[in-house]
Amino acid sequence: MNDILPPESALWEWLEEKVRAVMHQWSYRNVRTPVLEHTGLFVRGLGEVTDIVEKEMYSFEDRADKQGDADHLSLRPEGTAGVVRAVSEHSYLYDGGKRLYYMAPMFRRERPQRGRYRQFHQVGAEALGFAGPEVDAEMILLAHELWQQIGLKDVTLQLNSLGQPEERQRHREALIAYFQANEDQLDEDAKRRLHSNPLRILDTKNPAMQELATQAPKLMEYLGDASLKHFEQVQAILQAQGVKWQINPRLVRGLDYYNLTVFEFVSEALGSQGTICGGGRYDYLIEQIGGKAAPAVGWAFGVERVLELVKEQQLVPAAKSPSVYAIVPDAAALPQAMALLTALRRMGVAAQLHTSADSAQGMGSFKSQFKRADASGAAWALVFGTDELARGEVALKPLRHAGEQVLYALSNIDALAARIQSPIAQ
Ligand code: AMP
């Protein structure tokens, strides 16, 4: 789990602002759900035989209430189950489909490594109550647009269709038969999954099983007309916007709840943890966790991984500095200086006050205050000199461009604010 301090946190804010702007343009509205949920929600939602539920959740038994019943709770390992629970609990789809997004911390007890943490953050989007392929496509385009706005390069889109449950069932039988016929080549993990979740064997990272997985029966060959048509329409919409993709028949995603379209955005630049965003359609999840059946599509991207790419590709935005740094030679001037700074801030000026580390030492010399002003990155120093203040004036001095200091009357802070906010010749 990581601490995120400045200047790193400025990157997070920059990304969050981009996300909010894009979500607003695409009509996705913000949803916030609790960090803790009943463990059963994730067991029902994600599937019992998934890595997350089997071994990665932070789960605990709550204190017993008066009747002696204790809740089994878990820190959320992902966002969709909680959103779906909230939507059902509030009958939120009563008047039609909804588009939602969140930015939130998630928790998985995985082996920490680059791009893999135990508390990490996801931005997720969910479109609930819409069945058509245009929504699958909209979701993919939405994520794609985020990469454009951030400036990410070399992110590839992988697509697959998992079909409908009955199509998967027929494929599953074929898959079990195939793996059984080749049982001597299966590793322990695969043997364990053979009957519980054979589809996941296709996802194996074991190099010795790659060939076996590649030759396995393809789900695509078991899809019916409706599923194929759905998938084709998704691709037609992407194609019309010049979005490129690769079909990856082995893309099955780690969670059980998907059907029809599934997708991932992958980067080569991140080593083994190259998936930055994953998602798909989950038409049966809402009913599965006890809500009224409704179709849905969603994705989530990992903030840490996207920021890793942002740094890797040197897209880091310039640090935000204050516009003005207030130099106060004598502490007696602080009440007046701070009142003026409050007024300037209300007018939209970002202002930083000089503060001393040790009040017994006073405010520090002019020279040391100017040194700090310089280090703050501010364009201007606002000097609250004792003599000037006595005349009802402050001095504005440019720190990063040529020019003399100019005196402004305290009674005319509009002019002062306007000067600070004016474009400065570099
Ligand atoms: P998932 O919910 O597993 O499909 O994950 C969606 C995205 O969240 C992934 O593509 C990653 O970018 C990110 N992610 C998942 N697990 C972690 C983790 N342990 N640490 C950092 N990012 C993660």
Side-chain angles (χ1 to χ4, degrees):
M1 299 187 183
N2 297 309
D3 298 311
I4 305 157
L5 299 168
E8 175 81 8
S9 55
L11 261 186
W12 285 69
E13 290 186 313
W14 169 80
L15 182 68
E16 287 159 9
E17 280 162 26
K18 297 243 176 244
V19 168
R20 287 199 182 97
V22 170
M23 291 298 178
H24 174 69
Q25 284 180 320
W26 290 62
S27 294
Y28 283 70
R29 293 166 72 191
N30 189 229
V31 58
R32 299 175 191 221
T33 64
V35 169
L36 280 177
E37 297 276 0
H38 284 116
T39 302
L41 172 69
F42 301 116
V43 176
R44 285 199 308 282
L46 277 53
E48 208 146 350
V49 201
T50 52
D51 283 348
I52 295 180
V53 169
E54 276 184 331
K55 48 189 186 208
E56 293 173 1
M57 284 207 295
Y58 285 98
S59 302
F60 63 96
E61 197 166 300
D62 200 2
R63 285 185 206 205
D65 61 16
K66 286 199 193 78
Q67 285 77 44
D69 298 325
D71 288 330
H72 290 272
L73 303 177
S74 293
L75 288 172
R76 63 175 169 215
E78 57 93 61
T80 303
V83 170
V84 163
R85 179 203 49 70
V87 159
S88 330
E89 205 170 303
H90 299 276
S91 304
Y92 187 59
L93 302 180
Y94 79 99
D95 63 345
K98 297 285 180 340
R99 293 171 165 89
L100 299 172
Y101 82 94
Y102 55 82
M103 306 195 230
M106 306 293 162
F107 304 84
R108 293 184 196 172
R109 206 177 180 294
E110 301 187 87
R111 191 170 63 78
Q113 53 189 292
R114 181 185 176 204
R116 193 169 280 283
Y117 311 103
R118 291 181 165 182
Q119 172 171 341
F120 62 99
H121 298 75
Q122 284 186 339
V123 169
E126 319 282 354
L128 305 125
F130 306 108
E134 67 279 10
V135 187
D136 310 33
E138 179 182 286
M139 276 271 149
I140 294 169
L141 292 169
L142 169 65
H144 181 262
E145 181 60 19
L146 277 164
W147 318 142
Q148 307 309 302
Q149 294 295 326
I150 296 166
L152 288 187
K153 294 177 290 284
D154 303 327
V155 176
T156 53
L157 167 62
Q158 304 202 342
L159 273 186
N160 192 19
S161 174
L162 300 182
Q164 296 294 10
E166 59 283 4
E167 294 156 357
R168 269 164 90 161
Q169 184 56 31
R170 280 193 287 125
H171 172 247
R172 183 190 149 101
E173 284 156 18
L175 212 53
I176 294 176
Y178 168 81
F179 284 128
Q180 265 172 340
N182 296 282
E183 200 154 3
D184 51 326
Q185 295 179 51
L186 298 183
D187 62 16
E188 283 312 308
D189 220 28
K191 279 185 188 147
R192 201 168 51 83
R193 287 195 159 127
L194 183 56
H195 292 280
S196 59
N197 199 347
L199 206 59
R200 286 299 308 281
I201 303 178
L202 298 177
D203 215 9
T204 178
K205 301 280 182 290
N206 182 352
M209 284 182 46
Q210 295 301 317
E211 184 58 23
L212 189 68
T214 310
Q215 299 300 327
K218 307 263 181 305
L219 176 54
M220 204 63 79
E221 291 153 14
Y222 291 79
L223 298 193
D225 285 348
S227 295
L228 288 173
K229 237 180 101 196
H230 187 104
F231 197 38
E232 277 159 18
Q233 177 72 336
V234 172
Q235 295 174 70
I237 295 169
L238 296 181
Q239 184 156 27
Q241 303 199 23
V243 174
K244 302 214 163 28
W245 68 91
Q246 294 163 357
I247 303 271
N248 178 359
R250 288 174 57 185
L251 177 64
V252 297
R253 311 269 309 123
L255 310 175
D256 275 359
Y257 53 56
Y258 293 106
N259 68 305
L260 292 172
T261 321
V262 287
F263 53 90
E264 283 185 356
F265 287 92
V266 183
S267 163
E268 296 286 322
L270 290 176
S272 62
Q273 306 303 321
T275 305
I276 58 169
C277 176
R281 182 164 273 288
Y282 55 90
D283 292 337
Y284 305 98
L285 178 64
I286 303 183
E287 193 174 19
Q288 198 172 308
I289 70 148
K292 186 160 168 280
V297 202
W299 54 246
F301 79 73
V303 176
E304 283 82 354
R305 289 192 199 170
V306 166
L307 287 182
E308 184 80 27
L309 271 188
V310 164
K311 285 186 265 187
E312 180 98 21
Q313 300 183 358
Q314 296 175 351
L315 308 168
V316 178
K320 275 192 194 165
S321 304
S323 303
V324 64
Y325 188 97
I327 289 182
V328 189
D330 185 346
L334 280 171
Q336 221 178 346
M338 290 175 75
L340 186 77
L341 293 186
T342 300
L344 285 174
R345 289 177 182 129
R346 286 196 183 133
M347 297 170 85
V349 172
Q352 181 176 341
L353 171 71
H354 179 81
T355 34
S356 66
D358 177 356
S359 52
Q361 300 286 320
M363 296 296 287
S365 69
F366 244 110
K367 196 169 154 215
S368 70
Q369 292 202 33
F370 265 105
K371 234 166 133 180
R372 293 271 211 93
D374 216 38
S376 76
W380 302 95
L382 191 58
V383 188
F384 291 87
T386 313
D387 296 345
E388 288 86 353
L389 276 181
R391 293 197 303 268
E393 289 175 336
V394 279
L396 184 68
K397 188 175 160 46
L399 291 173
R400 273 158 230 287
H401 61 282
E404 289 305 306
Q405 77 171 32
V406 176
L407 291 171
Y408 285 84
L410 293 172
S411 56
N412 186 12
I413 72 159
D414 286 357
L416 175 62
R419 182 67 187 125
I420 294 170
Q421 288 168 314
S422 66
I424 301 165
Q426 292 298 314

